[in-house]
Amino acid sequence: MIQIPREGSDGRPVAAPKAVVRKLDILRKAAAAFRDRGYAATSVRDIARRAGMTPGNLYYYFRDKQEILYFCQDYSLDVLLREARRIRRRALRADEKIRALIRSQVLCMLDELRGSAGHIEFHAISRPRLRRIIEKRDAYERIVRAVVKDGIREGRFSTCDPKLVSLAMLGAVNWTARWYRPGGGRTPEAIAAAFADYLVRGLRR
Amino acid sequence: MIQIPREGSDGRPVAAPKAVVRKLDILRKAAAAFRDRGYAATSVRDIARRAGMTPGNLYYYFRDKQEILYFCQDYSLDVLLREARRIRRRALRADEKIRALIRSQVLCMLDELRGSAGHIEFHAISRPRLRRIIEKRDAYERIVRAVVKDGIREGRFSTCDPKLVSLAMLGAVNWTARWYRPGGGRTPEAIAAAFADYLVRGLRR
């Protein structure tokens, strides 16, 4: 697992070691290549070129293309999950939590690894790794569903099928990685705000 | 283009010629194989086996795997567009039209060619064909957006960015093809109804 830079005991962020920064840079370049050309058509050489390094140097960090894909998705889901758990614990109303979850997920989709978390390439990852990815994705979905249920219980949200409504919400957000183009007229922040408005309004009584 | 069975001059449906029925059956089997195993890992032999025919016989209908993928998406989009144009012309309120559009799209995604329309494999289709597919997809999105604008103008829907709201709606529906499993507890009709409720409620003032 790639260690994500965390806060130190004094609460201030700790600088990430150089190797972690390098690995994350490779993942970002790889995610962009997968999106632009498709996973199948992207070679390790392509990724190395985008990251400004030789293929030999890249193999020092990752064994093969499949491992890069796996870490793209794994890292992206770690970021999503960490944020979702933080939001769940905050002293907010259910509708505020859903807003925060949607915003955090849109920004993660469009800013972090360009939607890696949403686009699990089921057919390109080994079974044990796929299982770990799916466990994290399911854990994320459970948090969203739990907040929807909280909102129904509190009487803020209208009665609905929390599973289907959560899937609609996640689908809308995951799909952004398919149509979003940087510089295309709407910033990630504007998309996050519009999606949160629309998707929270549909829950209210 | 695969001719879709239409109504005769007496308004009654006309039976499709045998070759059309066979082609559609091959597309259905291919769409299921692409979903189960991924496009890259599916061979023409796999598709022929599922359709109960020899590869040689299948080549009588389609030149190669890429052509099958193209016709899956093309046919699926034709069905979607035909329905959307019909709904747009009907004497309904904007919210009723959005309901009908969502229902028709969910059912098309889950019943027809298992979401082929939503999963354009940009990297596997030749440029001229991709252009035609994208034109149809854009035509469909324009209809949804136009109905959202109608609803805002009529004062039924709250002010919003019609482009972003339409994309949220389409993303939620397209994503169903990623998680839906036949026999998984929710019928396509139940999913269509829950999605229409949620996604229309978010539009209302």
Side-chain angles (χ1 to χ4, degrees):
Chain A
M1 203 191 105
I2 292 180
Q3 283 299 319
I4 300 161
R6 288 172 185 287
E7 292 165 359
S9 54
D10 57 355
R12 282 191 302 178
V14 163
K18 243 180 171 175
V20 170
V21 173
R22 200 85 186 95
K23 277 187 133 173
L24 283 179
D25 182 54
I26 295 168
L27 294 185
R28 286 203 178 88
K29 298 293 171 19
F34 295 155
R35 206 204 55 187
D36 294 348
R37 312 195 51 195
Y39 175 75
T42 300
S43 67
V44 167
R45 184 172 295 274
D46 296 331
I47 299 167
R49 197 180 323 112
R50 284 180 189 239
M53 63 205 306
T54 64
N57 199 347
L58 192 147
Y59 285 120
Y60 173 79
Y61 297 97
F62 296 101
R63 202 171 29 176
D64 53 23
K65 188 173 74 161
Q66 212 233 52
E67 191 170 276
I68 297 175
L69 175 68
Y70 168 70
F71 278 112
C72 274
Q73 303 186 338
D74 189 60
Y75 173 75
S76 204
L77 279 164
D78 281 344
V79 172
L80 268 181
L81 261 176
R82 191 185 43 180
E83 276 305 302
R85 287 182 178 132
R86 191 177 289 179
I87 291 165
R88 175 100 222 253
R89 282 195 304 269
R90 285 171 65 193
L92 294 171
R93 298 193 313 262
D95 55 327
E96 293 169 326
K97 284 186 186 174
I98 293 288
R99 270 202 83 84
L101 285 168
I102 291 169
R103 182 173 173 279
S104 136
Q105 200 193 337
V106 169
L107 296 182
C108 175
M109 282 290 140
L110 304 184
D111 277 351
E112 275 286 333
L113 289 176
R114 304 204 183 187
S116 300
H119 292 274
I120 299 176
E121 294 257 358
F122 288 102
H123 313 292
I125 288 185
S126 69
R127 272 181 190 282
R129 285 186 160 171
L130 187 56
R131 204 161 37 235
R132 285 199 292 278
I133 291 285
I134 289 177
E135 271 163 21
K136 290 185 182 182
R137 188 204 56 188
D138 288 351
Y140 183 75
E141 291 188 12
R142 274 196 301 276
I143 294 176
V144 175
R145 214 179 305 157
V147 179
V148 171
K149 283 182 188 163
D150 289 346
I152 297 173
R153 212 172 13 242
E154 291 168 11
R156 281 183 202 289
F157 296 166
S158 63
T159 316
C160 64
D161 182 331
K163 186 185 162 78
L164 289 181
V165 163
S166 303
L167 284 167
M169 215 181 293
L170 296 171
V173 177
N174 284 335
W175 202 251
T176 56
R178 290 291 289 258
W179 55 260
Y180 173 72
R181 294 293 170 267
R186 266 95 173 166
T187 63
E189 277 290 354
I191 296 167
F195 271 49
D197 282 348
Y198 173 53
L199 297 169
V200 169
R201 208 183 302 121
L203 287 166
R204 290 218 179 92
R205 289 179 70 94
Chain B
M1 201 189 108
I2 292 181
Q3 283 299 320
I4 300 158
R6 288 172 185 286
E7 292 164 0
S9 54
D10 58 355
R12 284 191 300 178
V14 163
K18 244 178 168 177
V20 170
V21 173
R22 201 85 187 93
K23 277 187 132 173
L24 283 179
D25 182 54
I26 295 168
L27 294 185
R28 284 202 179 88
K29 299 293 169 23
F34 294 155
R35 206 205 54 189
D36 294 348
R37 312 195 51 196
Y39 175 76
T42 300
S43 67
V44 167
R45 184 172 294 274
D46 296 331
I47 299 168
R49 197 182 322 111
R50 284 181 188 238
M53 63 206 305
T54 64
N57 199 348
L58 192 148
Y59 285 121
Y60 173 78
Y61 296 97
F62 295 102
R63 200 169 31 177
D64 53 23
K65 188 172 76 161
Q66 211 232 54
E67 191 170 275
I68 298 175
L69 176 69
Y70 169 69
F71 278 112
C72 275
Q73 302 186 338
D74 189 61
Y75 173 75
S76 204
L77 279 164
D78 281 343
V79 172
L80 269 181
L81 261 177
R82 191 184 44 178
E83 277 305 302
R85 287 183 177 133
R86 192 177 287 179
I87 291 165
R88 175 100 221 253
R89 283 196 303 269
R90 284 172 65 192
L92 295 171
R93 298 194 313 262
D95 56 327
E96 292 168 327
K97 284 186 187 175
I98 294 287
R99 269 201 84 81
L101 285 167
I102 291 169
R103 184 174 171 276
S104 137
Q105 201 194 338
V106 170
L107 296 182
C108 175
M109 281 291 140
L110 304 184
D111 278 351
E112 276 284 335
L113 290 176
R114 303 203 183 187
S116 300
H119 292 275
I120 298 176
E121 293 257 358
F122 288 103
H123 313 293
I125 289 186
S126 69
R127 272 183 188 279
R129 284 187 160 169
L130 188 57
R131 203 159 39 233
R132 285 199 292 279
I133 291 286
I134 289 177
E135 272 164 21
K136 289 184 183 183
R137 188 204 57 189
D138 288 350
Y140 183 76
E141 290 188 11
R142 273 197 301 276
I143 294 175
V144 175
R145 213 179 306 158
V147 178
V148 171
K149 283 183 189 164
D150 290 346
I152 297 172
R153 212 171 12 239
E154 291 168 10
R156 282 185 201 288
F157 296 164
S158 63
T159 316
C160 64
D161 183 331
K163 186 183 163 79
L164 289 181
V165 163
S166 303
L167 285 168
M169 217 180 294
L170 296 170
V173 177
N174 284 335
W175 202 251
T176 56
R178 290 291 289 258
W179 54 261
Y180 174 71
R181 292 294 170 266
R186 266 95 172 166
T187 63
E189 277 290 354
I191 296 166
F195 271 50
D197 282 348
Y198 173 53
L199 297 169
V200 169
R201 208 183 302 120
L203 288 166
R204 290 217 180 94
R205 290 181 70 93

